[in-house]
Amino acid sequence: MSPDLRQRPQIIQRGLESYQASFDALRAFTDARSADTPDQLWLVEHPPVFTLGLGADRSHVLAPHDIPVIQTDRGGEVTYHGPGQVVIYLLIDLRRQRPAARLFVREFVQGVEQAVIDTLAAYNLAGERKPGAPGIYVADGAWQGAKIAALGLKVRASGCTYHGVSLNVAMDLTPFSWINPCGYEGLATVDMKTLGVDAAVAEVQLALAHKLLDRFN
């Protein structure tokens, strides 16, 4: 493998884009990948949408109102995406990351989670993992235990990943009350603004993207 293929993934700004358009593009990109295709991080915001993972129980969508519900091929349960939320899609060839080893999917997931924790720490917010509950949760204060970031991936047999991670920055959180987030009844969700951080989505997007890049080196 040439040394340039081990460089950091490219950051691709896709702006505000419908979930279906991103989903179709993720699969098309992954279908067309070759050994020479650079890894990429796609930075995007979505209009309101509920998405279901492969193992999702549709009954966890309690009242979708007029928000579309889309079945995906990622892992996990139901979640919500909407304006004011950072979404980063991870188009990574894990075999390229560890060319002489087996796929370390769990290690990769933990690295993504740590990037979120590190990003929150840069804004003086404490995040933590919960055993058996993917994502990142508030570690202290009045909102301790509330979910602030979600993670859902697809890893193909080729070792190529897509889907990714979302971090709540400054959202209308109401739609989270219309579902059982990630399959957990009554799970509180929160965003950075509610926790006292006034930051632009674009700023947090880049902060998280660079923390992810640090983890992939």
Side-chain angles (χ1 to χ4, degrees):
M1 179 182 302
S2 61
D4 61 316
L5 290 180
R6 298 192 193 180
Q7 290 181 353
R8 287 182 165 200
Q10 301 170 341
I11 293 177
I12 307 297
Q13 297 271 8
R14 294 181 69 92
L16 181 66
E17 181 174 70
S18 76
Y19 182 85
Q20 189 65 57
S22 293
F23 186 27
D24 291 344
L26 287 168
R27 289 182 293 181
F29 178 93
T30 305
D31 288 344
R33 288 196 71 143
S34 72
D36 298 328
T37 304
D39 291 335
Q40 295 186 350
L41 303 182
W42 290 3
L43 280 55
V44 65
E45 269 187 280
H46 291 309
V49 64
F50 295 119
T51 68
L52 303 170
L54 282 173
D57 182 343
R58 200 177 180 93
S59 69
H60 289 306
V61 181
L62 307 175
H65 296 257
D66 59 350
I67 296 177
V69 180
I70 296 179
Q71 179 67 55
T72 80
D73 58 355
R74 63 165 171 80
E77 263 283 353
V78 61
T79 195
Y80 169 70
H81 298 305
Q85 180 188 65
V86 167
V87 178
I88 299 184
Y89 291 123
L90 307 165
L91 295 146
I92 306 295
D93 183 343
L94 294 183
R95 294 179 193 264
R96 183 180 299 162
Q97 292 291 313
R98 301 296 285 268
R102 64 182 175 84
L103 298 185
F104 286 85
V105 175
R106 180 171 294 182
E107 181 180 291
F108 179 73
V109 168
Q110 289 175 342
V112 174
E113 291 175 335
Q114 191 60 49
V116 176
I117 291 171
D118 293 345
T119 301
L120 292 172
Y123 291 94
N124 297 312
L125 299 176
E128 65 181 359
R129 301 175 179 87
K130 283 188 176 181
I136 298 300
Y137 301 80
V138 178
D140 57 20
W143 284 91
Q144 184 175 5
K147 190 165 191 175
I148 193 167
L151 176 67
L153 290 173
K154 173 72 173 181
V155 183
R156 289 193 175 171
S158 64
C160 294
T161 73
Y162 57 104
H163 295 295
V165 61
S166 60
L167 172 60
N168 304 336
V169 178
M171 305 179 67
D172 176 2
L173 295 166
T174 304
F176 283 108
S177 69
W178 301 340
I179 60 174
N180 291 329
C182 303
Y184 292 96
E185 183 178 357
L187 176 65
T189 57
V190 72
D191 61 8
M192 294 171 63
K193 185 173 183 179
T194 302
L195 298 176
V197 174
D198 188 12
V201 171
E203 173 191 319
V204 180
Q205 273 183 332
L206 285 175
L208 178 53
H210 285 288
K211 293 295 186 185
L212 288 164
L213 294 180
D214 290 344
R215 289 280 150 187
F216 298 149
N217 270 0

